[in-house]
Amino acid sequence: MAKVLEPESGGVALQAVGKRLPKLDALDKVQGKAVYIHDLKMPRMLYGKILWSRHAHARILNIDTSRAEKLPGVRAVITGYNTPEIKVGFLKDNPVLKKDKVRQYRDEVAAVAAESLEIAEEAVRLIEVEYEPLPAVFDPVEAMREGAPLIHEEKGSNILKLPWKLICGDPDEGRRQADFVVEETFLLPWVTHCCLGTSGCLAEFQPGGNLTVYSPTQIRYLAQRDFLEAMAALGLKDKRVRVVSTAIGGAFGSKLDTYPFEFITILLAYYAGRPVKLVFSREEEFFATPARQKVEAKIAQGCTREGRLTFRDVEMVLDNGAYTSWGATTPSVMMMPISSLYKVPNVRYTARCVYTNNIYATAMRGYGNPQATFAIESQIDALAEQAGFDPLEFRMLNANTAGEVTPQGFKVGSCGMKECLEAVRESLNWNEKRGKRNGRGVGVGSLIHVGGGARIYKSDACGTIIKLDDFAKVTVMSGATDMGQGSDTVIAQIVAEELGVCIGDIKVIMGNTDLETWDVGAHASRTTFVAGNSALYAARSAKEQILALAASLLNEPQEDLAIKNSVVYSRRNPAVSMQLERVLRAAHFKTGGTQIVASHFYDPPTQMLDKEMKGNFSAAYTYGVHGAEVEVDRETGRVEILKYVIAMDVGKAINPMLLEGQLEGGAAMGIGYSLMENLQTEKGKVLNPNFLDYKMLTFADMPEITSIIVETGERFGPFGAKGIGEPPLVGSAPAIANAVYDATGKRVRSLPLTPEKLLFDADGSEERGGE
Amino acid sequence: MIAVKISFLLNGDPVTAEVPDQVTLLEMLREHFELRGAKEGCGYGECGSCTVLVEQEAVNACLMLAAFVNGKSVQTVEGLAGKQCRLDPLQEAFVEHGAVQCGFCTPGMIMSAKALLAENPRPSRDQIRRGMAGNLCRCTGYAKIVEAVAAASKRGCSCGESS
């Protein structure tokens, strides 16, 4: 169910862009032909298995691998003591095989490669490890205290040396200007990606020492760089690494970093001299892969009597877990809604990431934004109530607008926030339904996210190469990654539109670092915008080459020529035309001929954040509003979602059907985050490492989603499009929590919103009133 | 471990196999017959990615021992399309309605839907939701899958909305 609000400009009729076309690889996938890491097999391939720690924090006194080595069928047994040290992660604090001590149950102590998975599992059981347990710490606030057990002794403190801080305007003055202030604390749990395909990779060394890694990674080229570091550690400094993507069985941020298991697989393949595949079981996927972190957020916001926001002050503590992956950098994205969701002139944000003996934190769809937006948007409702405003009106009053420069320095191009708010108001029948307190209620949650890439590295680029063959078939080699979101199809639509060919003539190849050119990775909702622009400009360059050739063949000025339906024709005199394939063959079949190959490396017009964490780090910003109508059962505390609506300003929908898929899928993940998902740990041990105990939405739980697509036409976007991958889950939790408040008068400040929190005051967060 | 010799119908063809008695149907299909459409998403019957049909009924192939299918008929996603790649209406509907994203759950979804439609050719959307609740998907939010199953149930043949 989707409604499209058309942009005002209208424009020329598009042939491929804007169409509800099926995903290009769906045909393979419905026949079971797509090859995931689980399906990949090489001649003489061995199976890898990791021995995990038995303690949350302990010294390793001794590892005896002798019995494992003697087991028939075992081809390599490795530990931190018989391999070169390789450390991974953003702060390089994670040795791929732990030496001297373990810091979490998920820690890799040893690994085996064997002729079968069964033998590898048996061998791992035969490895004997002597531990001396150490005092452990699982609460980040306790971990910050003097005398707390140190997770990494050499660092001298459990607080990471990443003092996230942003100050815009004068937040103290903003507080003085406020007539109403609300201060609260919000708690967010650990949740995990639940990719249906578990993690894994396959490593194979070629006879000359070059390495191929088959992997469902989101960051083919950054992974290549990381694996080259491992090669250097093995003394293979000048060799090549090729990363080949398999079909990805879900990613959602989980495959945005490289992890110890990948390096362990490389080491096993090196020492065994055979290809090795290592794939996680579901249980390993739950406890050994990093997750979206637990956050405690203290937040205060204030407004004037007229309802204008005067300040926002946020202080967070993030559980980093035992090691550092991208989780520790999510505050850089949390700053975005904190500084720039609504017009708020004075902002302060500080965040501390703290080592504990818990599982560790990485990227997950939204990258910190869901946690920050839950706190901000829940509180916006509370503040509106204090100041005597309808919460939706209050949002309209403070809404972002096109052309504004936010306090953090974001230059907002297109902005459809008010249109989204209006659309949700209408769809929910807001004015009628709100404020009844009769067990039924409505709520909204707005959001901002990067929609034009995010310059978190010095480059935010993507490369594309396009070639055309003798029969006018187009091959697009893109550095981008498709993990199911449909970037293959969106890129093909953009190229088809620009080149004037039908989508069936286009093949998009992505997934081999030997073939395609560089891309920074599938993150930050950047692929449609950045890879799309890259493909668009490469197609334009190919088109110019074609038209130059055709101009001489047709004796027409090049500027009069165009391509449509694979025919080159003169716009002045359409009777003058030539089949595109004939133009291409004419180029090939002559003495001194030529070929059509074009490439483009697109890097969006953005800045890195400066030392104060300010700057325009995305070329566009995506806005949206989630809305929910809920019914809360007074007897059981169960929340039922009666209606769910997402209105999203996407700039331009390149493929409305795939876009709806993003909205519906994001909403499902967001509703799960709101109502049921919680990766529970006790003294560092994951208690629910399976789908029975870790609840994600099933068919039966999923409400109907109403998708409203708002098109504002982004100036820098390909055909006006902005990124959309993450926003569909960002506003879910506050929309639902606000609806629950509207239904019951009960404000729950921690996720998930379980029945016990609604029936009893088992919230865990403290309530402090405003003035 | 004892090897068991079994004969059964696999996607319409009579086949025999000699498999260790502890091997699951999923392992046998994937390793022995190299039919890798059915996936192991969890290995204990919670996600439905391994769903195949045994005697027309949807089962979790990860929970069933291979020896159990002796004398029975087994259908996998690979057996749905005709020899010249003519897709089953369910496969077509999944493609056309955007019901496939990462695709890992897709073969199991389609086989579950196949069993559902065999039992109830015109299910309501609610019946689809309840009938397929044993299959997990993390990408789509299920909406497009419900649409696809509903569309396939209506036609029993292809409908070409796309161009």
Side-chain angles (χ1 to χ4, degrees):
Chain A
M1 282 201 287
K3 185 165 94 182
V4 178
L5 306 182
E6 291 289 347
E8 283 170 22
S9 54
V12 281
L14 297 171
Q15 304 292 315
V17 163
K19 299 282 186 289
R20 301 174 69 85
L21 298 176
K23 189 160 162 27
L24 292 187
D25 64 3
L27 214 53
D28 276 351
K29 286 175 173 173
V30 296
Q31 298 181 78
K33 287 181 179 169
V35 179
Y36 300 83
I37 189 68
H38 316 76
D39 307 322
L40 201 58
K41 230 175 169 179
M42 294 288 160
R44 302 186 73 237
M45 184 180 91
L46 300 173
Y47 296 80
K49 190 79 194 166
I50 290 169
L51 175 67
W52 307 101
S53 167
R54 295 177 73 89
H55 295 274
H57 201 189
R59 297 231 168 275
I60 299 174
L61 301 180
N62 187 42
I63 306 178
D64 180 358
T65 57
S66 57
R67 288 174 66 209
E69 281 160 23
K70 284 180 201 135
L71 188 72
V74 170
R75 298 292 171 245
V77 181
I78 58 172
T79 69
Y81 298 95
N82 65 6
T83 54
E85 184 172 77
I86 301 169
K87 288 182 169 180
V88 301
F90 171 56
L91 295 181
K92 300 279 181 227
D93 59 7
N94 193 358
V96 304
L97 284 158
K98 276 59 180 175
K99 219 172 164 175
D100 305 331
K101 81 167 190 172
V102 290
R103 298 169 185 85
Q104 225 295 308
Y105 286 103
R106 59 141 330 277
D107 277 10
E108 300 83 356
V109 176
V112 169
E115 298 288 347
S116 74
L117 185 58
E118 292 70 27
I119 297 171
E121 284 168 343
E122 176 62 20
V124 157
R125 277 193 289 272
L126 293 175
I127 297 172
E128 285 163 41
V129 186
E130 248 182 277
Y131 295 101
E132 179 196 325
L134 295 168
V137 61
F138 305 102
D139 176 52
V141 175
E142 277 177 33
M144 286 192 285
R145 291 200 183 114
E146 198 70 23
L150 289 176
I151 314 301
H152 297 268
E153 285 90 345
E154 69 283 5
K155 293 184 188 290
S157 165
N158 288 326
I159 303 173
L160 273 73
K161 292 188 178 58
L162 288 170
W164 297 106
K165 189 174 174 185
L166 173 74
I167 294 176
C168 307
D170 184 342
D172 298 323
E173 178 55 27
R175 189 184 277 257
R176 282 191 287 275
Q177 289 166 1
D179 297 308
F180 302 96
V181 173
V182 181
E183 291 193 61
E184 296 162 293
T185 299
F186 292 86
L187 299 175
L188 289 304
W190 287 101
V191 293
T192 193
H193 310 80
C194 294
C195 303
L196 263 287
T198 54
S199 301
C201 71
L202 193 161
E204 180 177 28
F205 280 89
Q206 274 75 47
N210 294 332
L211 170 69
T212 299
V213 180
Y214 299 86
S215 163
T217 178
Q218 293 175 253
I219 46 154
R220 218 155 45 244
Y221 298 87
L222 300 184
Q224 182 189 30
R225 187 195 59 184
D226 289 352
F227 297 154
L228 277 165
E229 284 178 29
M231 295 285 273
L234 285 169
L236 299 167
K237 195 165 168 282
D238 298 319
K239 301 296 178 188
R240 291 172 68 114
V241 171
R242 178 173 69 128
V243 180
V244 179
S245 303
T246 61
I248 300 177
F252 316 112
S254 64
K255 296 164 178 74
L256 207 54
D257 203 351
T258 52
Y259 299 110
F261 80 86
E262 293 165 293
F263 296 87
I264 286 171
T265 309
I266 292 169
L267 290 171
L268 287 171
Y270 179 75
Y271 289 109
R274 305 248 304 256
V276 175
K277 183 165 92 167
L278 192 151
V279 173
F280 280 179
S281 69
R282 178 54 58 190
E283 191 184 1
E284 289 174 319
E285 185 75 11
F286 267 107
F287 78 76
T289 65
R292 179 190 288 157
Q293 78 273 61
K294 192 171 159 180
V295 173
E296 182 178 329
K298 280 186 192 164
I299 173 168
Q301 299 182 82
C303 69
T304 63
R305 263 177 211 96
E306 295 74 37
R308 298 275 174 197
L309 289 168
T310 60
F311 82 101
R312 185 176 289 150
D313 198 342
V314 184
E315 191 189 336
M316 283 188 190
V317 177
L318 282 69
D319 190 346
N320 193 57
Y323 302 101
T324 309
S325 178
W326 295 125
T329 68
T330 58
S332 66
V333 172
M334 293 176 174
M335 281 176 190
M336 173 177 51
I338 289 168
S339 70
S340 304
L341 180 62
Y342 308 119
K343 289 180 178 166
V344 49
N346 306 297
V347 175
R348 175 162 43 218
Y349 173 54
T350 56
R352 282 169 295 179
C353 304
V354 186
Y355 284 119
T356 63
N357 291 109
N358 287 323
I359 55 167
Y360 68 114
T362 193
M364 183 171 164
R365 200 174 192 175
Y367 211 91
N369 198 341
Q371 296 100 308
T373 299
F374 176 62
I376 296 167
E377 278 292 83
S378 294
Q379 192 172 64
I380 284 286
D381 261 41
L383 186 59
E385 186 179 36
Q386 282 229 6
F389 286 88
D390 170 316
L392 203 146
E393 279 304 321
F394 189 71
R395 286 174 169 85
M396 286 295 262
L397 205 57
N398 290 285
N400 299 99
T401 48
E404 81 172 274
V405 179
T406 77
Q408 205 184 340
F410 303 163
K411 294 173 184 160
V412 178
S414 59
C415 173
M417 191 184 215
K418 287 185 176 177
E419 290 89 330
C420 292
L421 280 164
E422 275 308 335
V424 170
R425 185 209 300 268
E426 196 193 315
S427 178
L428 283 181
N429 197 7
W430 175 268
N431 296 347
E432 189 70 24
K433 299 247 164 125
R434 190 185 86 79
K436 299 280 192 285
R437 291 286 189 282
N438 59 358
R440 276 191 174 206
V442 287
V444 296
S446 309
L447 67 99
I448 176 179
H449 202 74
V450 287
R455 190 169 294 275
I456 50 165
Y457 299 95
K458 278 183 184 159
S459 171
D460 190 21
C462 175
T464 307
I465 301 169
I466 293 182
K467 75 179 185 79
L468 285 93
D469 72 8
D470 253 8
F471 313 100
K473 301 290 188 219
V474 183
T475 304
V476 182
M477 286 167 274
S478 171
T481 296
D482 185 75
M483 44 202 183
Q485 81 277 43
S487 52
D488 54 346
T489 315
V490 163
I491 288 168
Q493 287 177 268
I494 288 169
V495 172
E497 193 67 57
E498 182 63 21
L499 271 184
V501 302
C502 91
I503 194 160
D505 288 335
I506 295 178
K507 186 172 177 61
V508 179
I509 295 181
M510 30 191 173
N512 185 332
T513 53
D514 271 4
L515 209 55
E516 305 106 20
T517 47
W518 193 81
D519 175 66
V520 74
H523 68 217
S525 305
R526 67 186 282 279
T527 302
T528 293
F529 191 96
V530 180
N533 266 330
S534 177
L536 175 64
Y537 290 116
R540 190 161 295 166
S541 159
K543 185 169 78 178
E544 275 157 21
Q545 294 176 42
I546 292 163
L547 295 183
L549 280 165
S552 63
L553 291 166
L554 294 168
N555 279 323
E556 287 282 318
Q558 187 182 332
E559 54 275 19
D560 288 348
L561 296 179
I563 315 173
K564 193 176 174 182
N565 298 329
S566 296
V567 176
V568 183
Y569 68 99
S570 164
R571 273 183 294 219
R572 265 192 321 156
N573 179 9
V576 177
S577 69
M578 191 182 236
Q579 293 284 331
L580 176 59
E581 57 179 313
R582 286 193 54 209
V583 176
L584 291 159
R585 283 201 289 269
H588 293 167
F589 287 96
K590 69 173 185 189
T591 311
T594 186
Q595 61 181 5
I596 306 296
V597 179
S599 73
H600 192 84
F601 190 68
Y602 176 79
D603 197 15
T606 51
Q607 308 162 304
M608 276 191 101
L609 298 177
D610 62 18
K611 279 194 180 128
E612 293 187 342
M613 302 305 289
K614 291 175 187 164
N616 189 41
F617 82 140
S618 181
Y621 298 89
T622 296
Y623 293 88
V625 177
H626 290 241
E629 182 185 0
V630 304
E631 181 162 21
V632 182
D633 188 314
R634 277 161 214 241
E635 301 283 311
T636 64
R638 188 175 167 272
V639 177
E640 190 187 350
I641 296 177
L642 304 174
K643 187 175 174 73
Y644 198 93
V645 52
I646 307 181
M648 202 65 73
D649 162 21
V650 302
K652 164 79 187 167
I654 304 281
N655 185 325
M657 182 171 77
L658 300 185
L659 171 59
E660 285 161 23
Q662 288 300 296
L663 301 188
E664 291 155 358
M669 217 178 240
I671 294 168
Y673 189 44
S674 310
L675 296 180
M676 55 182 81
E677 293 189 34
N678 185 3
L679 193 64
Q680 292 171 285
T681 61
E682 191 179 283
K683 293 189 174 4
K685 187 113 189 157
V686 173
L687 297 177
N688 52 348
N690 58 68
F691 285 132
L692 264 188
D693 300 315
Y694 183 98
K695 303 289 185 199
M696 59 178 262
L697 255 63
T698 71
F699 270 100
D701 306 309
M702 187 65 191
E704 295 269 356
I705 305 291
T706 302
S707 303
I708 300 172
I709 297 166
V710 174
E711 298 191 317
T712 50
E714 172 59 42
R715 59 194 162 158
F716 296 122
F719 296 95
K722 300 194 266 195
I724 196 59
E726 296 160 283
L729 78 63
V730 172
S732 304
I736 293 169
N738 290 338
V740 165
Y741 179 78
D742 189 49
T744 63
K746 183 158 175 57
R747 171 65 58 194
V748 181
R749 296 184 185 83
S750 73
L751 294 184
L753 288 148
T754 52
E756 51 269 35
K757 288 179 191 167
L758 287 164
L759 287 178
F760 317 108
D761 286 316
D763 182 341
S765 67
E766 48 181 322
E767 188 167 347
R768 274 178 287 172
E771 41 186 298
Chain B
M1 240 186 297
I2 308 159
V4 192
K5 198 169 176 189
I6 58 172
S7 311
F8 62 104
L9 273 182
L10 179 54
N11 294 327
D13 295 329
V15 294
T16 58
E18 206 169 310
V19 290
D21 58 355
Q22 293 172 1
V23 161
T24 64
L25 175 58
L26 181 64
E27 285 172 288
M28 176 176 74
L29 291 172
R30 289 178 57 86
E31 300 305 320
H32 190 96
F33 291 100
E34 299 190 331
L35 294 171
R36 304 210 174 104
K39 307 285 182 229
E40 182 175 306
C42 66
Y44 35 75
E46 290 170 5
C47 76
S49 302
C50 64
T51 306
V52 299
L53 304 186
V54 175
E55 297 287 302
Q56 321 289 330
E57 279 193 31
V59 302
N60 286 317
C62 73
L63 293 182
M64 184 177 275
L65 289 176
F68 182 82
V69 303
N70 188 30
K72 296 190 162 66
S73 74
V74 176
Q75 194 179 17
T76 70
V77 74
E78 289 88 348
L80 281 186
K83 300 263 188 242
Q84 272 67 50
C85 284
R86 188 169 302 135
L87 296 185
D88 184 275
L90 267 168
Q91 290 173 308
E92 281 181 351
F94 267 62
V95 171
E96 285 162 13
H97 287 267
V100 180
Q101 288 190 28
C102 93
F104 195 87
C105 74
T106 303
M109 283 286 174
I110 289 176
M111 297 317 284
S112 274
K114 187 84 187 160
L116 175 73
L117 293 187
E119 202 183 293
N120 178 2
R122 291 289 159 91
S124 67
R125 292 170 83 85
D126 238 29
Q127 287 170 328
I128 295 171
R129 282 203 188 91
R130 272 182 279 124
M132 301 204 32
N135 288 70
L136 295 178
C137 170
R138 190 58 154 172
C139 297
T140 64
Y142 306 106
K144 298 266 182 278
I145 301 177
V146 175
E147 268 177 45
V149 177
S153 81
K154 278 199 199 92
R155 47 175 139 149
C157 67
S158 67
C159 81
E161 186 193 16
S162 63
S163 57

